[in-house]
Amino acid sequence: MESYQFDNLSIILNKEGSREFSKVSYPIRYGRFAEVKTPDYIFQFNLNGEIKHIQGRGQSWPHPAEWLKRTVANDWIYFSVGSSYSSVYGFIGEYYLPCLSYPSNSIIGGNPFDDNAVRSAFTAWQKLLLKIKALTSSFIPQSLRDFLILVTESHPKALRLRSHELHNLIGGRLTVLPPDTRHVDYDVIPVIVADGCLYNCQFCRVKSGQGFAPRTKKNIIGQIKKLKSFYARDLSNYNAIFLGQHDALCAGTELLEFATKNAYEIFEFERSNLRGAKLFLFGSADSLINSQDALFESLNCLPFSAYINIGLESADPATLAVLKKPITVEMVGEAFARMLDINRRYEKIEVTANFLFADDLPRGHLSSFLELTRNRLNRFYSKGTIYLSPLINGGAKDVETKREMLRKFNEVKILSRLPTFIYLIQRL
Ligand code: SF4
């Protein structure tokens, strides 16, 4: 760690954060980063000199323990404590609520991006870039100058271009991350193993509209190599991959093994600043039911803990018909049973499931949900998280409807015998 002081700027290079992701009720940072403190803000930069976090220090900042985070796809997210730590944790399984700067499916939290203090943070960052630029032409140590030049080169326009570059090199924008990526603070390296999905359900707002199509091995290895150069110095701050897009499980054992083994080796996860590599992917009812045991045996032997998130949506025939999801209740039941079986048999794999949640779905939706998640289980199981995804059609629901949905969610959560949380859809 190197520390420097220039008037009211204090700069630390190579600051060490936690080496393990953990759920704590105070601001925590991971891996290695650089920090610039002014009287009003703490700015943190990744090892490529790109802004990653901004936290206000003054009276006007909404809460001293809240912060802004920029994703590698250049979205800003405001991490809020909500109205109380316990209610945020009960709803999403985390102590902080990620408030997104783009439309999503959230039924909790306000819009901090409307707050003047939060908006001022972006202006303060741009002013800081000018100050840092001036500093680079003064008499300072070479290692500091090198890093500050990286910071000044990572101005807002350059970061926008970097986001396009990321999507170009993997061949697509990621409209949705699995909810389980919350376990690594949503910091995953995306590698697309297959495009499209099997069903193209009418209700879905994240679908590509394409049929399922696996990528070739050549394409996958090309992505991994280009991603290594893209993440560059900051690669050492990652230990998790997301295999995209909507049904990577359907890509089969050979392609999944190929992608994960190469990613682990080429990204050098063994030398990561973070411990415990993790792998995330989506699957469908069909791909879960049709996958052979050999696939799960292979995933269980990888140097990753794997999270497979399955979109089941509903166990009620009337609801599936309304959603125009072309699967049957019998398939949902079979996929649910397979999920429980895999979670019991494979220590390093957790299969989780999504169901929809709305105020205007047919009456049988919630009762059939509880038939699976309560009546079929003899006790509470800590593995096999269920995510309820709020279905927000035509814009945000009014405050009263949201409150009623949250009340209903709490009722269902208490009855469910699996960990049950709300799914906040995040993109990358
Ligand atoms: S819900 Fe899943 S399977 Fe259906 S369209 Fe969306 S991504 Fe495809």
Side-chain angles (χ1 to χ4, degrees):
M1 198 165 86
E2 299 167 44
S3 312
Y4 304 91
Q5 186 72 42
F6 303 96
D7 300 328
N8 62 4
L9 277 193
S10 101
I11 302 178
I12 303 176
L13 300 187
N14 261 320
K15 190 165 178 175
E16 271 186 60
S18 171
R19 295 200 65 193
E20 241 159 301
F21 287 101
S22 47
K23 302 190 191 301
V24 289
S25 58
Y26 53 84
I28 187 167
R29 302 291 178 254
Y30 301 103
R32 280 176 182 267
F33 56 93
E35 182 174 277
V36 180
K37 247 188 208 173
T38 70
D40 298 321
Y41 296 96
I42 301 171
F43 299 93
Q44 285 157 341
F45 299 86
N46 69 20
L47 298 180
N48 294 329
E50 298 158 342
I51 186 81
K52 182 146 182 183
H53 300 107
I54 308 177
Q55 188 173 349
R57 306 178 78 195
Q59 291 287 328
S60 60
W61 191 249
H63 189 287
E66 297 182 343
W67 68 91
L68 281 159
K69 175 181 174 182
R70 195 187 66 86
T71 71
V72 69
N74 206 35
D75 286 317
W76 282 96
I77 299 172
Y78 185 88
F79 282 82
S80 159
V81 298
S83 48
S84 77
Y85 286 125
S86 61
S87 68
V88 170
Y89 192 88
F91 288 135
I92 64 165
E94 301 294 317
Y95 287 100
Y96 285 92
L97 176 68
C99 301
L100 308 174
S101 50
Y102 51 89
S104 186
N105 66 339
S106 176
I107 53 166
I108 27 177
N111 184 5
F113 295 92
D114 281 345
D115 189 307
N116 279 337
V118 175
R119 282 210 295 262
S120 303
F122 298 111
T123 318
W125 162 46
Q126 299 205 29
K127 284 188 183 155
L128 178 77
L129 291 184
L130 295 175
K131 262 192 188 171
I132 287 181
K133 191 160 191 189
L135 211 53
T136 57
S137 46
S138 61
F139 186 70
I140 56 172
Q142 192 59 40
S143 59
L144 178 62
R145 187 191 320 280
D146 290 346
F147 190 77
L148 294 184
I149 288 171
L150 287 178
V151 170
T152 58
E153 285 171 353
S154 302
H155 47 75
K157 189 173 170 207
L159 294 177
R160 270 199 300 280
L161 292 175
R162 290 267 295 157
S163 152
H164 296 315
E165 192 191 335
L166 172 69
H167 296 135
N168 284 341
L169 76 85
I170 58 172
R173 165 123 225 180
L174 302 161
T175 51
V176 57
L177 288 174
D180 309 301
T181 53
R182 65 189 175 90
H183 297 312
V184 295
D185 218 15
Y186 305 92
D187 280 339
V188 286
I189 301 180
V191 178
I192 300 183
V193 295
D195 297 286
C197 62
L198 296 178
Y199 310 133
N200 279 303
C201 321
Q202 199 183 62
F203 78 93
C204 177
R205 295 172 65 218
V206 297
K207 63 178 176 271
S208 63
Q210 268 178 271
F212 178 80
R215 297 275 179 99
T216 60
K217 285 185 179 173
K218 189 173 165 211
N219 176 284
I220 292 169
I221 202 84
Q223 286 181 65
I224 295 174
K225 285 182 179 163
K226 286 184 214 156
L227 284 163
K228 181 178 175 144
S229 321
F230 176 87
Y231 281 86
R233 297 173 185 80
D234 203 44
L235 186 63
S236 58
N237 281 326
Y238 285 82
N239 72 341
I241 52 170
F242 163 53
L243 295 183
Q245 290 251 36
H246 304 297
D247 195 352
L249 187 62
C250 196
T253 313
E254 195 183 333
L255 216 51
L256 292 180
E257 246 186 39
F258 177 82
T260 44
K261 283 186 176 161
N262 277 292
Y264 189 86
E265 227 168 81
I266 294 172
F267 295 150
E268 298 177 45
F269 277 166
E270 212 162 72
R271 294 171 46 200
S272 168
N273 293 331
L274 295 163
R275 294 191 199 104
K278 291 191 172 51
L279 160 69
F280 301 92
L281 60 149
F282 283 118
S284 60
D286 267 283
S287 61
L288 184 63
I289 294 167
N290 296 327
S291 294
Q292 305 290 315
D293 280 355
L295 187 150
F296 301 104
E297 269 148 31
S298 141
L299 289 180
N300 201 44
C301 292
L302 293 172
F304 289 96
S305 298
Y307 293 83
I308 307 169
N309 180 251
I310 310 293
L312 296 179
E313 323 313 350
S314 182
D316 170 47
T319 306
L320 289 172
V322 166
L323 300 172
K324 294 206 166 43
K325 175 132 191 150
I327 58 173
T328 63
V329 167
E330 289 69 32
M331 286 169 70
V332 173
E334 195 180 339
F336 186 81
R338 189 96 204 270
M339 170 182 107
L340 299 179
D341 182 51
I342 292 164
N343 287 340
R344 189 174 43 78
R345 286 167 60 197
Y346 301 102
E347 199 194 333
K348 288 171 68 191
I349 304 176
E350 178 169 359
V351 182
T352 65
N354 300 334
F355 286 81
L356 286 174
F357 187 55
D359 57 327
D360 49 6
L361 288 175
R363 288 174 68 86
H365 175 59
L366 285 182
S367 53
S368 61
F369 171 79
L370 289 172
E371 175 57 33
L372 288 181
T373 59
R374 180 172 178 84
N375 301 353
R376 277 214 197 173
L377 303 170
N378 58 347
R379 60 171 176 87
F380 181 83
Y381 290 83
S382 58
K383 215 173 158 193
T385 301
I386 300 294
Y387 293 97
L388 290 177
S389 178
L391 189 57
I392 310 269
N393 283 323
K397 302 265 182 189
D398 63 68
V399 175
E400 204 38 59
T401 310
K402 283 185 182 177
R403 197 171 294 145
E404 181 52 26
M405 284 173 75
L406 292 175
R407 195 190 58 73
K408 198 79 204 156
F409 167 79
N410 276 331
E411 264 179 40
V412 169
K413 180 184 170 79
I414 289 167
L415 292 171
S416 168
R417 287 183 169 149
L418 291 168
T420 300
F421 297 112
I422 291 173
Y423 183 178
L424 297 178
I425 290 184
Q426 268 201 44
R427 67 186 186 188
L428 190 67

